[in-house]
Structure formats: C-alpha cells, structure tokens
C-alpha cells in the first residue's frame, strides 16, 4: 500500500507548508518593520500597538501551521520513509480492519487490524490508506514494524 | 476534541509569543523612534493649550538645525508625568509660578526690563502675556485669559542643552523656538 508516490506527495506537502510558514513569518516581520518605519515620532503608541497586533497574530498563525499541519506532514513523511525502508514480514491468519482509530507516538492516525482468531488488535493501518483496504476478511498481511503494507483477501469469505 | 486538546497543549507557546511581541516591538520602537533630548525642543506651558497639534505644526515650520521635533506639553501632562517640567527646555509660567521654579531657570541677559520677570536685577523670563492689557503672543494657541488673570512669562530651563549663550552652549534651538512662540499671533 505504501509506495514512492505516497512519499513524494507527503514530502511535497511538507515543503509547501514549510514554505507557507516561512513566507507568513517573513511577511509578518516586513509588515511590522514597515509600521515602525512609517511611525511618527510624536505619536508612536498607535503604531506600536499595530506592530504588536500584527506580530502576535502573524506569529500565532505560523505557530498553528508549524505545530499542526506541518508537524503532521513531517510525521507522515517519517512514517512512510520508515515503512519503505523497513523489513517486511508476512503473517497468515484471519484479519479484519476495524473502525478503532488510534494515534501513534508522533501523532499519525491509525486504524487497528483485528486478528479474528484471538481477538487481538496488534496491527495497524495508516488512516490515509485505510480506504485502500477492503472490509473483507484478510488471510495474509504483510507488515513493517506492525503496520500493514499489503494484504491478501480471504476468498473463502465471499 | 483532539484539536482543542492540541491547541490547549500549545497554549504556552501562544502566550509566550504574545509576550515576545510586546517586549520586542516596544524595544525596537523605543530604540528607533524615540527622539533623544539632543534632537528635540520640549516646551512646557502651565496653561491650557487650545490646539497642541496646530501649535507644534506652526513651530515645526522652521526647525532649528539639528532639531527634528518640537514637543509641547500643557499643564495637565505634568499631572501624569512629573518629569515633563524638569525635561522642558522652555517653560511658559504664570507670574506666581516663576518664583517657584526660580532655582532651575536661566538668567536671560538681553531681556527688555520692561517686559522681563526681574528678580534682584536679573531677568528670569520674558513676558508672553500681560493680564492688564490682555495682550500678548500666541493668544490663538494659549488660553492665557482663561481662569486666573495673571501675567505669563517664557523662561528657559538651566538644564537645557539648547539655550545657547544662556548656559554657554552653541546650540540655541530653544531660543529660536521661543522667538517663534513670541512671534505667533
């Protein structure tokens, strides 16, 4: 389920968000410098308040981008990279994708894959790729670090 | 719910950035925009000023060399900032107040004795408004005739660096500004 295209897409998203946050930061700084340049020495206070407001709001937007979508994009790139470079393992049994959504350490969302034989949910599927998996029972799954990377549908289930 | 939790977990960053913005820009504006005492002439008037903006605009039409700003404060500003009087280069005071500030006023050697505030034969100010004749300078800008009827004098702070020969400096910007005030209708 993971391929180089997914990695390129995630890297492109990360780069776009990084560029956007840097651009916003630079624009905020430029706006504040312009306010400072045009401030009249006799009446500095309104200009100072304007610069503080622009700087604060601009900074908050940059913080919001860096800590939410950009952090998620970075985690996604890291996750896909790790999966692509990881060692694959084939496991046979009876597995089924569940609706149980969890978040791994770096904040990437996952759906659990349940082992129908013992009821445990030890494997995970990246939530963005969950729609690539059928709701049918799976007889073989390929995993890397416990994340499902490929599957084989149990035809007997039909 | 998870988004709210994430925002709350980053709350300290938003608060910290707000504080950084306040201190950073206050420092930058203070360093870049506050005009130092050497480049401005400060006028304190112990009288109501009708339109400070119009008066400063008038006085800044011909600024003395090296001066970028004329700052005018009226009596009410001294209530909120007691340092205004001490920092002023030019003081416009009612007769009764001249005696009070005598210790910090420069002697004006060339003043006309007829219109000067004299003490022990020395002139400490030049009359800007005569209560008896209800005449004077800059009547359009200063509310001399409002309230108590008193003569007003234009005086110079001994601590000023802009009073030229009055305190032995070469910079006589305060004298030029005072002459401009006296020439105003």
């Amino acid at each position: 389920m993971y391929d180089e295209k997914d990695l390129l897409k995630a890297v492109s998203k990360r780069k776009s968000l990084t560029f956007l946050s840097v651009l916003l930061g630079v624009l905020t700084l430029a706006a504040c410098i312009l306010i400072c340049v045009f401030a009249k020495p006799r009446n500095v206070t309104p200009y100072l308040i304007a610069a503080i407001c622009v700087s604060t709001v601009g900074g908050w937007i940059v913080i919001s981008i860096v800590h939410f979508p950009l952090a998620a994009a970075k985690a996604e790139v890291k996750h896909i990279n790790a999966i692509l470079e990881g060692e694959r393992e084939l496991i046979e049994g009876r597995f089924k994708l569940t609706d149980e959504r969890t978040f791994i350490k770096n904040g990437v969302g996952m759906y659990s894959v349940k082992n129908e034989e013992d009821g445990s949910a030890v494997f995970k599927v990246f939530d963005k790729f969950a729609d690539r998996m059928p709701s049918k029972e799976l007889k073989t799954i390929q995993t890397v670090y416990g994340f499902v990377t490929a599957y084989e549908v149990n035809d007997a289930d039909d | 719910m998870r988004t709210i939790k994430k925002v709350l977990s980053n709350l300290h960053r938003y608060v910290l950035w707000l504080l950084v913005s306040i201190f950073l820009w206050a420092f930058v504006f203070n360093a870049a925009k506050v005009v130092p005492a050497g480049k401005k002439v400060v006028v304190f008037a112990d009288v109501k000023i009708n339109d400070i903006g119009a008066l400063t605009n008038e006085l800044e039409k011909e600024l003395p060399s090296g001066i970028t700003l004329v700052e005018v404060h009226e009596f009410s500003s001294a209530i909120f900032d007691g340092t205004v009087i001490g920092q002023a280069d030019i003081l416009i005071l009612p007769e009764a107040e001249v005696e009070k500030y005598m210790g910090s006023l420069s002697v004006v050697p060339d003043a006309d004795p007829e219109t000067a505030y004299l003490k022990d034969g020395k002139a400490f100010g030049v009359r800007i408004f005569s209560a008896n004749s209800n005449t004077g300078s800059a009547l359009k800008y200063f509310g001399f005739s409002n309230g108590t009827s008193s003569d007003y004098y234009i005086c110079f702070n001994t601590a000023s660096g802009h009073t030229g020969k009055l305190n032995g400096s070469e910079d006589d910007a305060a004298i030029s500004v005072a002459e401009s005030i006296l020439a105003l209708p």
Side-chain angles (χ1 to χ4, degrees), chain A residues 36-37 39 41 44, chain B residues 25-36:
Chain A
C36 184
V37 167
V44 160
Chain B
W25 292 109
F27 174 78
V28 170
F29 272 70
N30 192 49
K33 288 291 164 181
V34 173
V35 179

Side-chain angles (χ1 to χ4, degrees), chain A residues 28-29 32-33 35-42 44 47-48 51-52 55-61 63-64 67-68 72 103 107-108, chain B residues 2-3 6-7 9-10 13-15 17-18 21-29 32-35 56-57 60 68-72:
Chain A
T28 301
L29 185 65
C32 291
I33 290 170
I35 291 170
C36 184
V37 167
F38 287 107
K40 290 173 183 166
R42 186 182 314 291
V44 160
Y47 293 91
L48 173 61
I52 290 172
S55 165
T56 303
V57 174
W60 283 352
I61 294 170
I63 289 171
S64 301
H67 287 278
F68 300 114
F103 292 90
V108 177
Chain B
R2 188 177 149 76
T3 310
K6 275 177 94 174
V7 170
S9 70
N10 281 290
R13 288 192 171 94
Y14 293 98
V15 174
W17 180 250
L18 172 68
S21 288
I22 292 170
F23 286 108
L24 172 75
W25 292 109
F27 174 78
V28 170
F29 272 70
K33 288 291 164 181
V34 173
V35 179
T56 48
N57 285 342
E60 284 181 351
T68 56
L69 180 77
V70 176
E71 205 174 275
V72 180

